[in-house]
Amino acid sequence: MERQSVSLGELVEGWSPPASPAPMVLDGLYARLEPLDPSLADELHAANCEDLTGAIWDYLPYGPFELAEYRDWVGKMAASRDPLFFAIRDKATGKLGGVMSYLRITPDSGFIEIGHLNFAPRLQRTRAASEAIYLTMQWAFAAGYRRFEWKCNALNVPSRRAAERYGMSFEGVFRQATMSKGRNRDTAWYAAIDKEWPVLKAAFETWLDPANFDARGQQRRSLSDLTRGILVTRDPIFDS
C-alpha cells in the first residue's frame, strides 16, 4: 500500500552547526562589549550602586551585592563559557555600564539565548544599550545560528516591551517555569529567527545611524516603529 504523504517539517539544507562563542570583543558605533573580567568588578559595582532603589536586581535570580560579594560573582561568571558574559562599555563616556551574556548555547540545534542583562542607570535608555543587543544578534546570526531567544519573568513588563522593541516575536508564557528568590516565576518567551534577520538588521542600522538623531540627540524614528512590522506575533499585554 502506498504511504500517505506526511508533513515532517521544512527540510533544512546547506546548514551546519555554528561554533560556540568564545570570549571576544564586539565593537560598535556606541557600545563596546568586552569579555567579563575580574578586573572590571569594582567599576561595574560602582555603576550598579547608582541605582539607589535596587530595582535593577528585582527580576534577576541573584543580587544585590556588597562589593566583596560582587567581586566573587564576577570572578565566577568570568570563568564561565555558558553563560558567556560581556561587560558593556558606553563609548561616548568610556565607562562601563552593565553586563549581559549568551546562554543556553546549543550549536547542534542552532539556537542561542541572550540574558543576565543588568544595565546600570548610566546605560539605560542609551544608544549604547540598544546597540549592545544588536551586536550580540549580529554575531549570532553571522555565525550561523538559526534562532535568537530572549526570556524574562512574565511580570517584568519593561523587559517584555524591550524584547518587542528589538524585533523579537512573542511566543507564549511558560507557567511556573522556575523559582527565583523563593518566588514563582512564569517565563515569557520571545525570539527572532534567521529568516527575519536581514530586515531586522536593516531596521537596527537605520535606527543606529547617527543621521537618525538630531542635534539634541533625539531620535527621528523610533526603533519600535522600525521593528513593529517584523514581528510575527505581538505580546497581548500591549494590545489594550
Side-chain angles (χ1 to χ4, degrees), residues 100-133:
M100 62 194 301
S101 79
Y102 287 125
L103 69 157
R104 294 184 70 246
I105 301 163
T106 313
D108 287 348
S109 297
F111 69 82
I112 192 167
E113 183 179 340
I114 198 72
H116 293 283
L117 278 75
N118 191 7
F119 292 1
R122 67 174 65 168
L123 187 63
Q124 295 170 12
R125 299 181 179 277
T126 65
R127 291 181 230 179
S130 295
E131 189 179 44
I133 305 299

Side-chain angles (χ1 to χ4, degrees), residues 144-208:
Y145 285 87
R146 303 177 62 238
R147 174 178 169 85
F148 186 92
E149 298 181 338
W150 172 297
K151 302 187 186 76
C152 62
N153 190 311
L155 296 175
N156 189 350
V157 174
S159 184
R160 294 176 71 162
R161 193 178 299 278
E164 288 204 345
R165 176 175 177 264
Y166 295 135
M168 284 176 264
S169 296
F170 176 70
E171 296 185 333
V173 173
F174 280 34
R175 299 173 300 161
Q176 295 187 189
T178 188
M179 298 275 287
S180 180
K181 295 177 179 174
R183 297 177 181 272
N184 175 66
R185 171 175 148 155
D186 296 348
T187 297
W189 286 54
Y190 302 80
I193 61 174
D194 55 356
K195 294 176 183 179
E196 298 159 355
W197 176 239
V199 180
L200 183 53
K201 182 175 186 287
F204 266 105
E205 291 178 349
T206 296
W207 187 81
L208 291 166

Side-chain angles (χ1 to χ4, degrees), residues 53-74:
T53 68
I56 60 174
W57 304 102
D58 282 351
Y59 296 106
L60 289 168
Y62 43 74
F65 298 104
E66 297 295 334
L67 179 56
E69 295 173 318
Y70 191 68
R71 286 171 175 166
D72 182 62
W73 181 84
V74 168

Side-chain angles (χ1 to χ4, degrees), residues 29-31 89-95 128:
L29 290 173
Y30 310 109
R89 191 178 300 277
D90 187 332
K91 294 176 72 170
T93 64
K95 295 181 178 181

